[in-house]
Amino acid sequence: MASTASRAWRTAVLVFFGLIWLLPVYLLVINASKSPQAYDSRQSWIPNGTDLISNMVEAWNLSNLGDSLTSTVIYSIVSPVIAVLVGAGAGFAIVALGLKHGFWWFVFIFGGTVFPLQMVLLPLFDGYSRTGLFDTQLGMILVYTAISIPFSAFVMRNFFTGIAHNVFEAAVVDGASSWRIFFRLYLPMASSALIAVFILQATFIWNDLLLGLTLSQSDNVRPIVTTLAGMQSTYGGAQLSTVLAAGILVSLPTVVLFLFTQKFFSRGLALGQY
């Protein structure tokens, strides 16, 4: 009886907090569904519109979201793929190969995440301007890859520590090279962790605003969230309901990505449990 009451209370608490979490989503959807002419901030809680699709179309045409979408898809795929491979290689070298001073190499790689991103924006902008990387897709791929590698190395190192070293020793005895062991044994066993890291980094890159504002300005280079932010500026010319509809449109790819990969994501969080 007590356990039943406990489960009921736990369910009620989870439902309560779930509803609180969904309140911003509710406000976003109902206000994005209102026509620009009918939008009234004093009635933001009242659903009285069905123009969500037309507002999305208006946002797409008004801000050239298509160009930014293409660039952001490239950034969100290429940079995380490179980052997870480099991070996996670093974790493999530290754990399996027994890299000399491996712990300090790990601290050096992961230590870059200690400092706030805002601290490096000015020197990063200056360096990009001097080297011709400013406002280029290559420059955005490089910076997104660089900031994704430390977390990837952190996760993959922790995952590889859960793999018995006997696996590596047995493969060496069988005559396999380090590269073959890495690509044919360790990477397949770490597939769930690789996917989990890829999802997290791809979502971060997709939602990035700060680096996009600092290092890009062209429609075909800047990330999609930066373009979305430009719609809200003084010169953007978009009504609030149109901007909110664009926000939903921009968020859909990451939601779909998580829904289709949540099984791998959940397995990847159990580090070392392959």
Side-chain angles (χ1 to χ4, degrees), residues 104-127:
W104 294 109
W105 278 110
F106 170 73
V107 171
F108 174 75
I109 295 172
F110 191 69
T113 61
V114 174
F115 304 100
L117 185 60
Q118 291 83 350
M119 289 182 60
V120 301
L121 284 179
L122 184 57
L124 192 61
F125 174 79
D126 181 65

Side-chain angles (χ1 to χ4, degrees), residues 60 63-73 75-76 144 205-209 212 219 221-231 246 249-251 253:
W60 182 276
S63 59
N64 294 323
L65 283 178
D67 293 335
S68 296
L69 177 63
T70 302
S71 297
T72 310
V73 169
Y75 305 151
S76 300
Y144 285 137
I205 293 171
W206 188 276
N207 294 324
D208 171 64
L209 173 64
D219 289 338
V221 175
R222 61 183 180 179
I224 196 167
V225 175
T226 307
T227 302
L228 178 62
M231 294 178 62
L249 187 62
V250 168
S251 303

Side-chain angles (χ1 to χ4, degrees), residues 152-185:
S152 302
F154 171 76
V155 173
M156 298 314 301
R157 173 188 175 273
N158 290 345
F159 186 91
F160 288 149
T161 56
I163 300 178
H165 193 63
N166 294 339
V167 174
F168 178 81
E169 293 175 343
V172 172
V173 171
D174 289 338
S177 65
S178 297
W179 287 104
R180 188 176 181 85
I181 296 172
F182 176 63
F183 284 105
R184 299 297 295 274
L185 288 179

Side-chain angles (χ1 to χ4, degrees), residues 83-95 106 149-163 182 186-198 268 271-272:
V84 296
L85 289 177
V86 173
F92 176 77
I94 294 171
V95 175
F106 170 73
I149 286 175
F151 179 75
S152 302
F154 171 76
V155 173
M156 298 314 301
R157 173 188 175 273
N158 290 345
F159 186 91
F160 288 149
T161 56
I163 300 178
F182 176 63
Y186 275 69
L187 283 188
M189 286 191 291
S191 58
S192 296
L194 292 170
I195 293 174
V197 174
F198 174 85
L271 299 179

